[in-house]
């Protein structure tokens, strides 16, 4: 309707319209909204305003003053992030025209107000045939490691540290470039054993990390300490002349759990983490390793008292028991594709058939909320029995 016509509409005209439409006025609320397109409606329809559909929890976050941030480069599918979650952001088309009407009251509001039989004139500010909808997704963290691996930290005396042109990233830089929420990024930085040096996030070069760990384990051995009670202050005093104190403490945090006993700070070192790192050191320079020989060398390489087990290598190394002799080789889950289909393609190109026990560590991180490994395998693979054992292979040909 034209604005002038709508503003002049009377109750009698409304009732007449209801009769033509064969609607019973008694079954409707007494209040009537008469709509008119305002002068800015066409501009709003041209894309000045976007509609965003939010779940109640996200609405509540906005209402208390929190922000939602859209992240992504030009070549990436946009995501929107809250403080702790990431969502895919996609346009949803609708066959119904959606009208923007400032101050418009819903039927529930009109019921609550016990409005009498009157006419409410409302101006349409704009309209749209689509809206943005959100779908919870896994954070896209592959780029985080890629960025930090561009310039790993090899120690304060490294020649690399004298080159000011090498890439470095602050927290703000990472928030600007990584498609994940702040909480998810900070959690992943811990998983990567990254540390903040001079205001920039850095990943330690693995050889340098192992050098620090070796200093700590040798000190524990020479002082006859228990690995469950390593004193921080003594470590810093003894190893401070060899390496920066913050690096020693960072190493203890990576491989241990901090606690306080009688006012003193101690670390309980994790045998599993130390054994795993030692295995990575042994495997990284070998394409394939005789399993039996590896297990002997591995056990001899870890600190006395620690017991090595293949279970410690889930998501780091893969054992092939179909070869003679049996072999083991490095296969790190964080080196595999981030996309689910691409991950399965990569795994099935490496090995045609997998048991659930072998493949689980390499797809566990792909599981979304309330999703199981079994559900992923059902969707992306085909199962069969081989010598009484259930195995999984690709649903599609792998080139």
């Amino acid at each position: 309707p034209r604005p002038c016509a709508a503003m002049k509409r009377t109750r009698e005209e409304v009732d007449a319209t209801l009769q033509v439409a064969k609607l019973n006025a008694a079954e409707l609320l007494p209040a009537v909204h008469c709509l008119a397109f305002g002068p800015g409606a066409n501009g709003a329809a041209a894309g000045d305003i976007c509609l965003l559909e939010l779940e109640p929890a996200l609405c509540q976050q906005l209402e208390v003053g929190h922000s939602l941030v859209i992240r992504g480069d030009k070549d990436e599918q946009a995501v929107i992030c809250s403080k702790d979650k990431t969502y895919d952001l996609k346009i949803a088309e609708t066959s119904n025209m959606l009208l923007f009407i400032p101050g418009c009251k819903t039927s529930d509001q009109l019921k609550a107000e016990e409005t009498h039989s009157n006419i409410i004139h409302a101006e349409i500010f704009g309209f749209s045939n689509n809206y943005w909808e959100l779908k919870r997704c896994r954070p896209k963290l592959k780029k985080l490691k890629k960025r930090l691996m561009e310039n790993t930290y090899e120690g304060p005396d490294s020649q690399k540290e004298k080159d000011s042109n090498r890439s470095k990233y602050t927290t703000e830089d990472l928030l600007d470039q990584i498609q994940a929420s702040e909480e998810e990024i900070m959690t992943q930085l811990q998983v990567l054993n990254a540390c903040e040096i001079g205001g920039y996030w850095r990943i330690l070069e693995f050889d340098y990390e192992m050098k620090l760990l070796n200093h700590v384990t040798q000190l524990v051995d020479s002082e006859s300490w228990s690995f469950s009670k390593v004193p921080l202050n003594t470590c810093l005093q003894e190893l401070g002349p060899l390496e920066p104190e913050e690096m020693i403490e960072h190493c203890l945090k990576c491989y241990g759990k901090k606690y306080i006993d009688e006012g003193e700070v101690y670390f309980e070192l994790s045998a599993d983490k130390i054994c795993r790192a030692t295995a990575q050191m042994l495997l990284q320079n070998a394409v394939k390793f005789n399993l039996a020989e590896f297990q002997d060398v591995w056990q001899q390489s870890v600190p006395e008292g620690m017991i090595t087990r293949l279970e410690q290598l889930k998501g780091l190394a893969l054992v092939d028991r179909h070869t003679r002799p049996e072999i083991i080789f490095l296969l790190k889950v964080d080196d595999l594709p981030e996309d689910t289909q691409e991950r399965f393609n990569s795994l099935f190109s490496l090995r045609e058939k997998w048991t659930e026990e072998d493949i689980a560590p390499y797809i566990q991180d792909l599981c979304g909320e309330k999703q199981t490994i079994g559900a992923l395998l059902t969707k992306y693979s085909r199962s069969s029995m081989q010598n009484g054992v259930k195995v999984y292979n690709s649903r599609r040909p792998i080139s």
Side-chain angles (χ1 to χ4, degrees):
R2 291 171 298 174
C4 57
M7 301 306 272
K8 292 179 180 179
R9 186 162 290 176
T10 63
R11 185 74 211 190
E12 289 74 20
E13 290 175 321
V14 170
D15 291 339
T17 303
L18 292 177
Q19 285 186 339
V20 171
K22 297 182 180 180
L23 294 174
N24 184 359
E27 297 175 354
L28 305 174
L29 291 176
V32 178
H33 272 102
C34 287
L35 307 182
F37 282 94
N42 288 335
D48 293 343
I49 294 177
C50 292
L51 292 177
L52 185 64
E53 183 182 62
L54 298 176
E55 58 186 41
L58 285 178
C59 276
Q60 290 170 8
Q61 289 187 31
L62 287 179
E63 288 167 355
V64 298
H66 294 165
S67 300
L68 296 178
V69 185
I70 296 175
R71 294 193 169 115
D73 289 336
K74 291 181 179 179
D75 60 341
E76 295 174 324
Q77 172 69 44
V79 300
I80 193 165
C81 301
S82 64
K83 188 74 174 176
D84 60 348
K85 293 182 177 67
T86 303
Y87 301 82
D88 275 326
L89 186 59
K90 296 181 179 178
I91 292 179
E93 301 287 343
T94 173
S95 57
N96 296 321
M97 181 176 286
L98 303 170
L99 303 178
F100 308 157
I101 308 175
C104 182
K105 294 181 178 180
T106 65
S107 58
D108 290 338
Q109 289 173 320
L110 292 172
K111 285 177 184 176
E113 293 177 4
E114 297 182 0
T115 309
H116 298 293
S117 179
N118 63 343
I119 295 177
I120 301 171
H121 297 290
E123 186 176 278
I124 298 170
F125 180 73
F127 58 90
S128 176
N129 288 316
N130 58 58
Y131 60 94
W132 291 97
E133 65 176 0
L134 309 186
K135 184 179 180 182
R136 180 75 191 278
C137 67
R138 289 181 291 109
K140 296 170 172 57
L141 296 164
K142 192 84 171 176
K143 190 197 287 186
L144 176 60
K145 183 179 180 181
K146 183 179 179 181
R147 288 283 184 267
L148 297 183
M149 290 299 289
E150 292 170 358
N151 183 21
T152 53
Y153 186 73
E154 299 178 0
D157 300 326
S158 168
Q159 189 65 35
K160 287 165 61 175
E161 297 309 303
K162 298 172 185 177
D163 184 356
S164 59
N165 294 322
R166 287 186 172 270
S167 55
K168 294 180 183 177
Y169 299 93
T170 63
T171 300
E172 287 303 314
D173 293 332
L174 296 177
L175 287 172
D176 188 50
Q177 297 186 36
I178 308 304
Q179 291 187 290
S181 69
E182 183 173 357
E183 189 172 301
E184 290 166 330
I185 289 173
M186 300 311 290
T187 298
Q188 185 65 12
L189 286 170
Q190 289 185 341
V191 171
L192 294 172
N193 288 342
C195 63
E196 207 168 5
I197 302 172
Y200 298 96
W201 285 100
R202 310 288 297 277
I203 288 180
L204 272 57
E205 181 70 32
F206 185 66
D207 289 344
Y208 180 61
E209 185 178 313
M210 292 305 294
K211 179 183 175 183
L212 293 171
L213 181 59
N214 192 45
H215 284 321
V216 171
T217 56
Q218 285 185 350
L219 180 62
V220 171
D221 181 60
S222 64
E223 297 289 341
S224 299
W225 293 332
S226 165
F227 279 105
S228 64
K229 196 170 186 180
V230 179
L232 173 62
N233 286 336
T234 308
C235 277
L236 297 181
Q237 290 169 9
E238 294 293 327
L239 300 177
L242 301 175
E243 297 291 344
E245 291 187 357
E246 58 269 24
M247 291 294 98
I248 298 299
E249 186 169 359
H250 175 69
C251 180
L252 289 168
K253 287 178 180 177
C254 291
Y255 290 94
K257 185 178 180 181
K258 183 179 179 180
Y259 68 96
I260 297 175
D261 185 21
E262 297 180 354
E264 290 290 323
V265 178
Y266 293 92
F267 281 87
E268 179 182 359
L269 296 184
S270 167
D272 285 348
K273 288 183 177 180
I274 293 174
C275 290
R276 183 182 175 91
T278 305
Q280 182 176 339
M281 179 186 66
L282 295 172
L283 290 169
Q284 67 178 359
N285 296 320
V287 177
K288 293 180 180 178
F289 212 127
N290 179 300
L291 179 61
E293 292 177 2
F294 166 77
Q295 288 180 294
D296 288 340
V297 174
W298 183 26
Q299 182 60 59
Q300 292 167 19
S301 302
V302 300
E304 188 175 351
M306 292 189 178
I307 305 299
T308 59
R309 306 185 316 278
L310 289 176
E311 290 77 17
Q312 295 164 335
L313 306 185
K314 288 182 177 180
L316 175 69
L318 188 63
V319 174
D320 189 343
R321 298 193 180 278
H322 297 289
T323 62
R324 291 294 177 267
E326 296 176 341
I327 59 171
I328 185 170
F329 56 94
L330 200 65
L331 181 62
K332 297 162 69 175
V333 65
D334 52 1
D335 288 339
L336 296 172
E338 198 167 38
D339 177 76
T340 303
Q341 186 62 66
E342 290 179 12
R343 175 82 61 89
F344 274 93
N345 289 348
S346 179
L347 291 170
F348 287 126
S349 64
L350 182 70
R351 176 185 287 184
E352 183 183 357
K353 295 183 179 181
W354 292 73
T355 63
E356 182 173 345
E357 182 183 5
D358 283 346
I359 202 172
Y362 295 104
I363 61 174
Q364 178 70 59
D365 63 310
L366 299 176
C367 293
E369 286 184 308
K370 300 178 182 178
Q371 190 175 31
T372 63
I373 288 175
L376 268 182
L377 288 171
T378 299
K379 183 175 181 180
Y380 291 96
S381 67
R382 193 178 274 119
S383 65
S384 60
M385 299 299 291
Q386 183 174 293
N387 299 325
V389 178
K390 182 181 277 191
V391 293
Y392 298 87
N393 62 287
S394 178
R395 282 187 172 275
R396 56 180 67 183
I398 301 295
S399 56

